[in-house]
Amino acid sequence: MTKFLLKTFFVLTILLFGVVFGIHQANEGTLSLFGKKEAEQTVTAPSSPSIEKQEVRDEKKTVPPPENEQSTQERVKTTQELQEKQQLAADVGAFNFYSELGSNIGELLELIVYHTVSAITGIIHGWLNN
């Protein structure tokens, strides 16, 4: 009995650490997918008395305010981007037909399985109660 409990505890411990490790890996993958990293870190330097804290930031360049020529070019770019997005939305609309078709087929299969299972359980119930 003691060996069984020790083996069970050992296996459950390994599984627990596996799950925690998997969650950690998934979290890191999600953060790297969206490009989210810590924007600001605080570094302390105990050896030098003059510098107590030093902030390390991501290297993000600040964009100067747009001038008239740049703003016109940016408007043209945004208009082109909007047109491309509208075209993409129109293309995705064609795929909407297929998703609706798949949804309808899924609902039909769900009804068939539901009625089949209810018929089988009704037959079994009838056999057991006779």
Side-chain angles (χ1 to χ4, degrees), residues 98-108:
Y98 294 113
S99 73
E100 287 181 19
L101 180 66
S103 175
N104 291 336
I105 291 173
E107 290 174 1
L108 178 66

Side-chain angles (χ1 to χ4, degrees), residues 38-40 56-62:
E38 288 189 30
E40 189 175 313
V56 178
R57 298 177 188 258
D58 289 340
E59 294 181 10
K60 294 183 181 178
K61 296 180 181 178
T62 58

